[in-house]
Amino acid sequence: MEHAKGFGLLIGMTAFLLLFTYVGPMGWQLVSGEEKVYEPNTSVAGISIGGLTESEASTKLSGHVSDWERQRDILLESETEKVRISSDFFLFDVEATLDEVVEGTDQDLVVRTDESYQSEVESQWKPALRTNFEWEDWTAAVLEKASDLEEEPLVYSVYNFVPSDVSPLLETVAEYEISVKETSLLSELVSSMDTLTLKSEQEFSLIEAAEELPVSINEETLSIVATTIFGAALDTNFAIQQRHISQKLPDYAVLGREASVKPSQNDDFVLYNPNSSDYIISLSLEGSNLIVEVRGYPFVEQYFSSVEDVQAIEPRTIVRYSSFVNPSDVQVEQEGETGQRAFVYRSSRGESGIREKIAEDYYPPVNRVELRYGVEGEENNDSSGSGGDVSADDSTGNNNDRDQDAASDDTNTDTDADGETEGNPDDAKEVDPSNPIWEQDEADKEK
């Protein structure tokens, strides 16, 4: 009984304090006729009303609301329709907002929507979209931004507010194909990997997907599949989070469209799906063509890719000399191959109109290697008239590393007559075949 009395006393005291705190000032304002003044650090939608009376705060907030509404339309986009909704759709209640203000805090604006717009908006959509559009979820998302008077555009894709499995709404949003030499390994891989799911707002790893399959895989077949998927993904809004290329462009790929996968080096191909719905990647082999289709809800904007600023990088000529070559002869140990560089871009047509650089692809040239007549320690002038100076290493007798394979510019180096080291062809001095780099042949070293 004593506990009950104590508890009742505690409740009574708490009620008195609350009444004194909140009702007391209001009673004083009624008696004195003075307006309430908001305490410092009090704000609504980030707009400070500290030190203002209620009428001043109401005027200030109403002005900000009017400015925000004048600059805002709502855009609901599908692949075929863009429905603009006037800012009259919002019904702000500044008076109710001020009634709910808690001193010393930031308060959201009280706002609701004019529901009479719903039938007008949905009448512009095809039946499957009209039936499945989640109007309440969308209005909740819009009201969240309006209550804070957020400055970002109120642009929404209708497909972000429908369930992810409405079959009549699914379309092929991108496709790509390459010509391949069919092998049993590739056929088995494609048969097992005929459909891949890119989950909403999640990453997709090709290596992880392949590891779950009950078939043998190798780097070449994975790279062929990755190349085809990459070609299709460039025409979507999927983020390319990890992608590699080979040292040499494979026969099945075109410049700017290759993707190399090497599980042994952890070189993966990884995509990220930023959309609120899943997408399905379908693979199929039709004769000598590997085809990829990406199916899902249509994108509001149209995406397309381009390969630009294509450059040919000419090979250098590496000359080695030997006394076992006739003075008038030139033996070609390795034919040169031209390298390539290009930039890959993705663009979109729509309200945002993005253009982004996806990659800069570089395939190094393969140097031409020639063997000509010459003897160590002597000035060498061949009968063709295209002579050259002995490299700096030759003049000192340090010949240990000069017979490296010139076919791999990215891993090997050659020293030219000026003592400069060859690396990236952009940084190296180009050598004309008529003024070559001279190297000593291995056969002469053994003399």
Side-chain angles (χ1 to χ4, degrees):
M1 189 72 176
E2 293 294 331
H3 288 298
K5 288 182 179 179
F7 185 67
L9 180 61
L10 179 61
I11 291 176
M13 292 177 65
T14 302
F16 174 77
L17 288 173
L18 289 172
L19 190 66
F20 179 80
T21 300
Y22 291 101
V23 179
M26 294 175 61
W28 170 252
Q29 291 168 27
L30 290 172
V31 172
S32 65
E34 294 180 6
E35 273 196 275
K36 171 183 178 178
V37 176
Y38 291 103
E39 294 179 4
N41 301 321
T42 304
S43 60
V44 173
I47 302 162
S48 175
I49 59 172
L52 301 180
T53 64
E54 282 191 271
S55 59
E56 290 171 336
S58 178
T59 300
K60 184 176 182 178
L61 291 177
S62 296
H64 278 275
V65 167
S66 296
D67 290 342
W68 187 85
E69 286 181 308
R70 277 196 300 269
Q71 302 172 38
R72 291 290 179 283
D73 277 345
I74 310 160
L75 190 61
L76 257 175
E77 299 181 323
S78 68
E79 79 284 9
T80 57
E81 299 289 343
K82 289 180 171 54
V83 181
R84 288 193 179 274
I85 305 172
S86 166
S87 59
D88 292 341
F89 178 68
F90 297 115
L91 303 173
F92 288 92
D93 193 333
V94 173
E95 184 177 345
T97 300
L98 292 174
D99 288 343
E100 296 180 5
V101 164
V102 177
E103 299 280 359
T105 66
D106 184 42
Q107 174 80 29
D108 287 344
L109 281 157
V110 174
V111 57
R112 56 189 176 85
T113 59
D114 185 347
E115 295 300 320
S116 66
Y117 277 88
Q118 181 174 358
S119 58
E120 178 185 343
V121 170
E122 292 184 343
S123 67
Q124 302 181 55
W125 295 334
K126 53 190 174 185
L129 181 56
R130 183 167 58 248
T131 302
N132 291 279
F133 186 77
E134 297 167 337
W135 181 267
E136 282 138 6
D137 290 348
W138 174 70
T139 54
V142 173
L143 287 175
E144 184 178 359
K145 291 185 178 182
S147 64
D148 286 333
L149 298 183
E150 291 190 16
E151 295 185 358
E152 65 183 68
L154 302 177
V155 180
Y156 301 89
S157 168
V158 295
Y159 296 105
N160 289 337
F161 299 94
V162 295
S164 60
D165 56 353
V166 182
S167 298
L169 296 178
L170 301 179
E171 296 182 9
T172 297
V173 297
E175 58 185 328
Y176 188 74
E177 68 178 69
I178 63 174
S179 180
V180 295
K181 295 179 180 178
E182 185 178 348
T183 65
S184 57
L185 284 178
L186 181 59
S187 297
E188 289 177 8
L189 180 61
V190 171
S191 297
S192 301
M193 196 183 276
D194 57 340
T195 56
L196 303 168
T197 303
L198 271 63
K199 293 288 188 182
S200 166
E201 299 177 349
Q202 291 186 29
E203 289 184 353
F204 166 81
S205 161
L206 187 59
I207 289 180
E208 290 179 3
E211 286 175 345
E212 298 177 0
L213 302 176
V215 295
S216 299
I217 56 174
N218 62 19
E219 293 181 349
E220 183 180 11
T221 54
L222 276 180
S223 295
I224 290 173
V225 169
T227 294
T228 318
I229 295 175
F230 175 61
L234 284 172
D235 294 336
T236 70
N237 66 351
F238 303 153
I240 315 296
Q241 292 204 325
Q242 188 179 159
R243 174 236 178 188
H244 306 268
I245 63 174
S246 308
Q247 281 286 89
K248 181 179 179 180
L249 186 65
D251 293 339
Y252 55 78
V254 297
L255 185 63
R257 297 287 191 272
E258 187 218 350
S260 172
V261 176
K262 295 180 179 179
S264 61
Q265 299 179 18
N266 202 29
D267 287 353
D268 201 353
F269 178 66
V270 180
L271 297 175
Y272 175 75
N273 174 15
N275 304 287
S276 61
S277 57
D278 298 346
Y279 284 82
I280 302 297
I281 295 178
S282 301
L283 297 95
S284 60
L285 267 173
E286 296 184 6
S288 61
N289 292 327
L290 176 60
I291 303 169
V292 163
E293 289 188 4
V294 182
R295 286 186 59 80
Y297 290 149
F299 300 115
V300 168
E301 300 196 355
Q302 180 184 357
Y303 294 89
F304 59 96
S305 57
S306 59
V307 179
E308 303 177 16
D309 301 323
V310 176
Q311 304 170 31
I313 303 171
E314 295 302 321
R316 302 177 66 181
T317 297
I318 306 298
V319 175
R320 298 170 179 167
Y321 62 91
S322 169
S323 60
F324 293 97
V325 179
N326 292 328
S328 60
D329 290 347
V330 174
Q331 294 183 8
V332 178
E333 290 191 335
Q334 176 176 274
E335 290 288 355
E337 294 182 18
T338 302
Q340 293 176 294
R341 174 182 278 117
F343 295 84
V344 184
Y345 293 92
R346 174 193 282 158
S347 304
S348 71
R349 297 188 184 98
E351 198 75 15
S352 62
I354 64 117
R355 174 177 165 85
E356 59 178 332
K357 185 174 80 171
I358 299 296
E360 176 184 348
D361 287 2
Y362 168 69
Y363 297 92
V366 175
N367 288 338
R368 176 184 173 90
V369 181
E370 295 180 356
L371 193 61
R372 300 187 185 184
Y373 174 77
V375 178
E376 181 181 6
E378 295 183 2
E379 185 176 351
N380 296 282
N381 293 306
D382 67 352
S383 58
S384 66
S386 56
D389 294 332
V390 178
S391 69
D393 284 343
D394 288 332
S395 63
T396 59
N398 182 7
N399 302 315
N400 293 330
D401 300 320
R402 288 182 288 106
D403 278 327
Q404 299 176 18
D405 184 1
S408 302
D409 280 336
D410 57 319
T411 56
N412 297 327
T413 61
D414 290 289
T415 304
D416 64 16
D418 295 324
E420 297 178 352
T421 301
E422 176 195 359
N424 188 314
D426 276 354
D427 302 324
K429 181 180 178 181
E430 292 294 328
V431 177
D432 186 67
S434 64
N435 184 22
I437 299 172
W438 290 90
E439 292 187 350
Q440 182 186 8
D441 183 56
E442 189 70 28
D444 283 332
K445 289 191 203 175
E446 297 174 357
K447 288 178 124 185

